[in-house]
Amino acid sequence: MKKLSIIDIANHLNVSKTTISFILNGRAEEKRIGKELVERVQKFVEEVGYKPNSLAKSLRTGKSNIIGLMVEDISNPFFSAIARLIEDRAYKNGYKIIYCSTDNDTLKTRELINMFRDRHVDGYIIAPPQGIEDDINSLLKDGMPVVLFDRHLPNVNADFVEIDNLFSTYNATKHLIQQGYKNIAFITFASGQTQMQARLQGYHEALNESGYKPVVQEIIFNQNEDLIIAPITNFLKKNKKLDAVFFGTNHVGTCGLKVINGLGIKVPSDLAVVSFDDYDVFKLFSPPVTAIAQPIEAIADSVITVLLNKLNTSSQHISSQSIILKTDFNIRESSKTATS
Amino acid sequence: MKKLSIIDIANHLNVSKTTISFILNGRAEEKRIGKELVERVQKFVEEVGYKPNSLAKSLRTGKSNIIGLMVEDISNPFFSAIARLIEDRAYKNGYKIIYCSTDNDTLKTRELINMFRDRHVDGYIIAPPQGIEDDINSLLKDGMPVVLFDRHLPNVNADFVEIDNLFSTYNATKHLIQQGYKNIAFITFASGQTQMQARLQGYHEALNESGYKPVVQEIIFNQNEDLIIAPITNFLKKNKKLDAVFFGTNHVGTCGLKVINGLGIKVPSDLAVVSFDDYDVFKLFSPPVTAIAQPIEAIADSVITVLLNKLNTSSQHISSQSIILKTDFNIRESSKTATS
DNA sequence: CTGAAAGCGCTAACAT
DNA sequence: ATGTTAGCGCTTTCAG
């Protein structure tokens, strides 16, 4: 049973392949093709399980029905959860997903974008690393639908969906202050990305209002967890007068908890804890960790809606939209008042 | 700057496109094409950034350089971790990954396989649901490279890589028994998949040896966590005389811990805990949870190695290989002796 | 209403 | 050593 092509079925039915093509693409009415012929063709196609070769179709039409998804790291629960939701929606709309992890590496990302481009993906969903501005702009210039998420690029006029990072950390820091904590550290990955900068700024603003001194520890990102745990350990050992710590991402937060356990620090009596992102680890830690929960579903939904929208309307609306979503602040035991 | 094709560059250089094609595909030597010409072409190609249209190439050659990856759920840390590692290796070898989550849904998986097939993926990596045997066999019959992982299909003669599930649970159950626990429950997803059956069997065998009575609770899988938590809660409430519980997967384990926290059960004094899979949640729980760690890297490595091997050698070795990997058993506080 | 034919960009026999 | 040419399977003018 070799794969049969449109011409095989055309021959079988003594019709031209053009007609078959029209029928299969739902243009029978438009082309005024006889009802009975249409039915006969559809029945036969069904019967032999003929599927058009999508490669040939793509080559001809220039459309691939593939969406390129570039996340920072698919094994990070934030990104894998989003990927999952995007995947569902995309498949439901007839799109497949090709994905890759950028590791926030500009060169790698550039190569990957070229690969995607080469593969004629119809649209791009990207959590962009810095330095990739020109490549994105070039995509945009060529009319490719692009949606950025989790962060944006200051000099790129692409649609993006983000959360309100600044307010989220501002608010959470305020909470710590209200609980009576005065020496609040912020531990995060060293990054100039918009979302990380905004988080840092929210922390600073809240502290400024109260006149407390900020203590920031930036960690160099590394796949190897030991290289994240080590600097956090050093930091906590050296700053004994801290009474609270704010972790800037789920990854830092998880590593931070390991350090806290390793050092035998009591939470919240020795040290209060708050973390960005909210996953099982934080909920199940003892005591449960106060965390900022990103609205995963809403993010994924917005991203795919915006993209599908651009995909379906070839309208070249110059205006680009940015969607900013709210987070939930889940207060738990780890940040209970210091003075009780 | 419109995309230029091989013919554009052929014209520009006053050479035939065949020659260009040969040069670009590294067959210059073989075809005895002049060194200087080769260099001239390469320089020009580099200069204008020409990239062959891989769609056309695929249509012509029948190869897409895409690997289809089907996991159960990309947002499950086990699968996302594996996906990440496979992705890296694949990209390094010039392959891209198209992925999807099957949800263990046979119909969905069937559609997905057809999609992949339609897209002419070069190879398949699949964590197969039950009922998909015929589809896989059909793939195999058509000479498609297929590697199964995490589980296998009894009536399918495909390569697969798995872990030693039976021994892993046998061993862990033995450990509980040695620690003095006598009423050990096994909570797992209801599933006839080979890996789940093997895990269950390992548990039973260990119990049999000691003459203890097995208590098994099977949960219907559901994306909605509440529907997993509820039956576990009921089960634990109704079986007060249990002194240990064994969770059959990371997902069940995580939900189980939530139940344990919710019910205020003390671990291990009220109830000892062991779980399959080993992630941060288990390490950071108080007390840390004894867990069976799957060798993620080794699994991913084996899978991709086997697949790349099949991809590169068109040899139709009938013999299929099955790789069984060992797990690590990480004993922690949650299963400390009952009689101390 | 239907069919012939021209490509989409590339590869690889088959000339030359 | 290099060029000619025939497709891969499909869509889509343009003629009947």
Side-chain angles (χ1 to χ4, degrees), chain A residues 29-309:
Chain A
E29 295 254 321
E30 176 189 337
K31 292 293 176 181
R32 290 179 234 200
I33 294 172
K35 289 276 180 208
E36 40 138 14
L37 211 203
V38 171
E39 273 169 30
R40 201 152 54 85
V41 170
Q42 281 171 342
K43 185 161 157 293
F44 184 71
V45 162
E46 181 77 14
E47 207 174 296
V48 299
Y50 163 75
K51 294 282 253 170
N53 179 327
S54 50
L55 242 37
K57 194 172 194 160
S58 292
L59 177 58
R60 182 62 228 242
T61 61
K63 290 184 49 57
S64 62
N65 276 295
I66 292 182
I67 291 172
L69 171 64
M70 316 187 74
V71 298
E72 186 175 306
D73 177 4
I74 194 70
S75 70
N76 178 316
F78 170 70
F79 289 109
S80 69
I82 294 226
R84 179 58 154 98
L85 295 164
I86 287 180
E87 175 198 339
D88 283 345
R89 287 280 306 269
Y91 274 91
K92 240 165 236 155
N93 285 275
Y95 286 94
K96 292 145 210 71
I97 300 278
I98 274 196
Y99 79 96
C100 61
S101 305
T102 66
D103 286 326
N104 275 334
D105 178 326
T106 310
L107 256 52
K108 185 176 176 195
T109 306
R110 182 165 299 140
E111 273 177 29
L112 260 9
I113 287 183
N114 288 335
M115 260 188 185
F116 280 6
R117 193 165 205 169
D118 188 56
R119 266 284 147 195
H120 293 238
V121 305
D122 290 341
Y124 298 75
I125 297 174
I126 309 178
Q130 294 177 276
I132 206 70
E133 289 80 359
D134 292 349
D135 305 77
I136 307 277
N137 274 329
S138 152
L139 242 33
L140 256 24
K141 188 164 59 63
D142 294 352
M144 305 301 314
V146 177
V147 179
L148 271 26
F149 77 102
D150 187 51
R151 59 200 86 164
H152 67 274
L153 299 169
N155 294 316
V156 174
N157 190 33
D159 291 2
F160 65 85
V161 4
E162 272 186 352
I163 52 161
D164 192 345
N165 287 287
L166 194 153
F167 175 77
S168 299
T169 49
Y170 170 84
N171 185 47
T173 308
K174 270 296 202 198
H175 159 78
L176 284 171
I177 293 170
Q178 277 158 13
Q179 295 293 307
Y181 296 102
K182 297 183 160 64
N183 293 296
I184 306 168
F186 192 78
I187 306 187
T188 184
F189 284 128
S191 164
Q193 288 167 3
T194 55
Q195 88 283 21
M196 299 313 285
Q197 288 298 311
R199 290 178 193 181
L200 196 51
Q201 201 187 332
Y203 160 81
H204 274 124
E205 287 187 7
L207 248 51
N208 274 346
E209 286 184 8
S210 308
Y212 294 152
K213 199 167 100 290
V215 187
V216 174
Q217 169 71 347
E218 297 199 326
I219 313 280
I220 306 294
F221 178 79
N222 196 290
Q223 282 290 3
N224 182 350
E225 279 211 344
D226 294 337
L227 297 181
I228 298 173
I229 288 177
I232 299 181
T233 306
N234 284 336
F235 175 77
L236 290 185
K237 273 188 184 166
K238 283 195 184 131
N239 294 269
K240 293 290 188 189
K241 65 277 167 172
L242 291 176
D243 54 15
V245 62
F246 195 143
F247 295 118
T249 78
N250 62 358
H251 201 160
V252 172
T254 308
C255 292
L257 292 182
K258 289 184 183 172
V259 171
I260 284 172
N261 270 356
L263 259 32
I265 295 172
K266 299 278 170 275
V267 177
S269 54
D270 292 348
L271 192 69
V273 174
V274 168
S275 183
F276 218 98
D277 293 318
D278 194 11
Y279 294 99
D280 289 334
V281 211
F282 299 141
K283 292 174 196 152
L284 286 169
F285 192 75
S286 297
V289 176
T290 297
I292 295 165
Q294 299 202 42
I296 308 278
E297 287 86 3
I299 295 173
D301 246 50
S302 306
V303 165
I304 194 75
T305 302
V306 171
L307 187 66
L308 286 175
N309 207 32

Side-chain angles (χ1 to χ4, degrees), chain B residues 178-197:
Chain B
Q178 277 158 13
Q179 295 292 308
Y181 296 102
K182 297 184 160 64
N183 294 295
I184 306 168
F186 191 78
I187 305 187
T188 184
F189 283 128
S191 165
Q193 288 167 2
T194 55
Q195 88 284 21
M196 299 314 285
Q197 289 298 313

